[in-house]
Amino acid sequence: MKITKDLGRSHAWTLHEAALPDGRRAFVKKGGDFTAEAAGLRWLAESEAVAVPEVIESGAGHLVLEWIETGPATAAAAERFGRELAALHTSGAQGFGAPWPGTIAELLMDNTPAPDWPSFYVSRRVLPFVRQARDAGQLTAADVELVEEACERAGEVGGPPEPPSRIHGDLWNGNLLWATEGNASGWVVLVDPAAHGGHRETDLAMLALFGAPHLATITGAYREAAPLADGWRERVPLHQLHPLAVHVCLYGEAYRGSLLTAAADVLAM
C-alpha cells in the first residue's frame, strides 16, 4: 500500500488516500485506535441492509477502507436509504450494547450490555459524557442536575418498549456518503459508526440534529417500511441528549445551551 495524498486531519488522527497493490484506491486513517470502528462497520455489513465501505485492513494505529467516490445527494438515493435504514434497524441486535469497547470521535464509550434501553441509554450514553464535561469545567453542577432529572424520565417518556435495533449510533450527515459511479451509484454509504444495539429512534434523532439532504424523504421512506410508535417526534430531544453531551465534551460551550434546552424539553414532556 502506498500513500498517494494527504487529506488533512479529523479529531486525533490523519486522513490519507492510498493505492493498493491491486491498483484499487483506499481511504486510510492513522493515529488512533480504530478497533470499534472496524468492528462496527463489519457488524453493520452483516445485516446486508445498508452500504458500508469494505474494511480492507485494521491494525495497530491504522484503518484501511474501500474508497468511496461521492457526488451530489439525490432524492432517489435518499428514498432508498430510508428503506435501507429501516431494514438495518429491524435486522436487530442481541441486546442493548455491543461485545466490543465503543468509541465516538476520540472519546471512549461503554458498550457493556444493559437489560433495557432506558437504563442503557442513561448509564452508558448520557451520564458518562455529562459528568466528563462537568469534570472538565464545561458544565456546572446545576447543568448536570438538570440533565440527570431528564434522564430519570427516560423510562416514562421513552415510548413503548422495543427490541434492540442494530443502529449506526453516530448518524449525522457527515457520516453519510452519497456514492456515485464506481462504487455504489445512487446509494448512501455509511461511515464512522458508533454501532451497537440501541433504540432505532436514536439514529433518526441524530439525523435531525444537524440536518441531512432530503431528510423528509429519508424519514418518509423509513416510516413506510418500519412505522414508528406514536409520539416519536416529541421524543427527539430525549434521543439527542447523548450526541449533545458528546459535543459539549468535544467542543465545549458552543453546545451547552442546546443540551440544556433538550433536557428541559424532556422534562416538559
Side-chain angles (χ1 to χ4, degrees):
M1 180 180 69
K2 179 181 179 181
I3 299 295
T4 57
K5 185 185 295 184
D6 292 331
L7 302 175
R9 300 186 65 88
S10 176
H11 299 291
W13 44 83
T14 59
L15 312 177
H16 312 270
E17 182 180 339
L20 300 176
D22 61 7
R24 288 184 296 162
R25 297 164 74 191
F27 177 75
V28 180
K29 300 172 80 168
K30 289 185 176 183
D33 183 352
F34 304 109
T35 304
E37 182 176 346
L41 286 170
R42 290 174 173 134
W43 189 61
L44 296 180
E46 286 174 6
S47 72
E48 299 183 347
V50 293
V52 297
E54 175 193 355
V55 179
I56 298 170
E57 183 177 310
S58 176
H62 73 281
L63 179 66
V64 183
L65 302 176
E66 169 191 9
W67 182 268
I68 304 296
E69 197 68 41
T70 61
T74 67
E79 182 176 354
R80 178 174 182 166
F81 173 57
R83 296 193 299 269
E84 291 174 341
L85 184 62
L88 172 69
H89 290 166
T90 56
S91 70
Q94 291 186 339
F96 294 103
W100 55 81
T103 57
I104 187 165
E106 67 263 33
L107 304 177
L108 299 178
M109 195 159 57
D110 187 358
N111 278 340
T112 304
D116 55 62
W117 178 75
S119 60
F120 174 83
Y121 185 66
V122 168
S123 65
R124 310 285 193 262
R125 290 296 179 264
V126 183
L127 294 185
F129 294 99
V130 168
R131 290 165 180 167
Q132 181 175 330
R134 175 199 60 196
D135 294 345
Q138 297 159 316
L139 293 175
T140 68
D143 295 340
V144 174
E145 182 177 354
L146 179 68
V147 179
E148 288 175 339
E149 290 176 0
C151 286
E152 289 174 0
R153 299 202 65 204
E156 176 188 352
V157 303
E162 293 199 2
S165 293
R166 188 175 302 226
I167 72 171
H168 179 280
D170 191 14
L171 197 63
W172 73 289
N173 179 50
N175 289 339
L176 277 60
L177 302 185
W178 300 81
T180 60
E181 293 290 344
N183 290 101
S185 181
W187 283 21
V188 171
V189 179
L190 302 183
V191 297
D192 293 344
H196 63 280
H199 197 301
R200 60 197 182 114
E201 291 178 14
T202 296
D203 273 350
L204 297 174
M206 187 65 172
L207 276 177
L209 182 58
F210 298 113
H214 308 291
L215 180 57
T217 300
I218 295 171
T219 304
Y222 182 100
R223 294 177 63 198
E224 287 182 4
L228 295 161
D230 290 344
W232 68 274
R233 293 185 189 276
E234 289 71 27
R235 291 189 291 273
V236 166
L238 173 64
H239 290 273
Q240 290 180 344
L241 290 176
H242 170 236
L244 288 170
V246 168
H247 276 70
V248 172
C249 290
L250 291 172
Y251 305 112
E253 178 72 19
Y255 289 93
R256 173 178 172 269
S258 296
L259 173 63
L260 300 183
T261 297
D265 289 343
V266 172
L267 289 171
M269 290 173 64

